[in-house]
Amino acid sequence: MTATAPALTALAHGWCALSLLHGRIESYLERALQAGHGLSVREYSLLDVLSRQFDGEVGHLQMKQVADAVVLSQSATTRLVTRLEDRGLLSRYLCLTDRRGIYVDVTDAGLKLLEEARPASEAALREALEGAAEDPRLEPLARAVATVRVPTVVAV
């Protein structure tokens, strides 16, 4: 198969459309979250993921799980966690059974900010998808994203 084969071209076009849609959505979310709540998309995503980990009083993840959840390298994850910890939105602590393990937990202040920011995030996401649906290249993807139903269980 050559680089110009129709299937490969369609695959490449699909990837470009998906990348473009992701970029547009992230841009909308970034502006809304920064302007209204002083959060980046990654910061919001991390608070959101941690908020969904609660089981009674425990709601934490190991640093490796955090890196996987927000799709960052270990060093970038450490910087992200440090920024949020400095703002009082997260806390870090050593695992009691394995002193090498570090857990990250969202604080009450982090949960409060997340709940305040959630409507802005939802509105920006809706606006981004509506705008994307007007672009013929992105309309099928925007429609698919708008209709996806994911189980409420968060697997990280």
Side-chain angles (χ1 to χ4, degrees):
M1 183 179 283
T2 67
T4 58
L8 184 59
T9 301
L11 183 61
H13 283 284
W15 168 245
C16 287
L18 181 59
S19 181
L20 179 60
L21 179 61
H22 176 269
R24 284 188 183 185
I25 290 171
E26 191 167 53
S27 178
Y28 270 81
L29 288 171
E30 190 75 35
R31 283 193 305 268
L33 292 169
Q34 281 290 342
H37 306 283
L39 287 171
S40 71
V41 171
R42 300 281 182 174
E43 291 168 340
Y44 177 86
S45 295
L46 178 51
L47 292 174
D48 185 54
V49 166
L50 287 171
S51 77
R52 296 172 195 274
Q53 301 307 311
F54 276 92
D55 179 21
E57 293 190 23
V58 178
H60 62 261
L61 290 175
Q62 291 180 337
M63 286 293 283
K64 168 79 171 95
Q65 293 171 306
V66 170
D68 291 345
V70 293
V71 193
L72 290 174
S73 67
Q74 273 310 128
S75 60
T77 300
T78 298
R79 289 190 300 273
L80 174 65
V81 168
T82 298
R83 276 197 318 269
L84 292 173
E85 186 178 38
D86 289 348
R87 292 175 60 188
L89 304 174
L90 298 180
S91 61
R92 266 188 279 206
Y93 57 93
L94 291 175
C95 175
L96 296 175
T97 58
D98 179 0
R99 303 294 283 174
R100 295 170 297 170
I102 298 173
Y103 285 102
V104 178
D105 198 357
V106 64
T107 63
D108 289 341
L111 289 172
K112 183 176 186 282
L113 181 58
L114 176 65
E115 289 309 310
E116 291 169 357
R118 202 177 299 277
S121 173
E122 292 288 328
L125 182 55
R126 249 188 316 283
E127 187 177 338
L129 288 172
E130 288 169 2
E134 295 174 10
D135 183 332
R137 300 169 300 167
L138 303 179
E139 187 273 332
L141 289 172
R143 188 171 11 99
V145 169
T147 59
V148 169
R149 298 292 176 252
V150 179
T152 56
V153 175
V154 177
V156 178

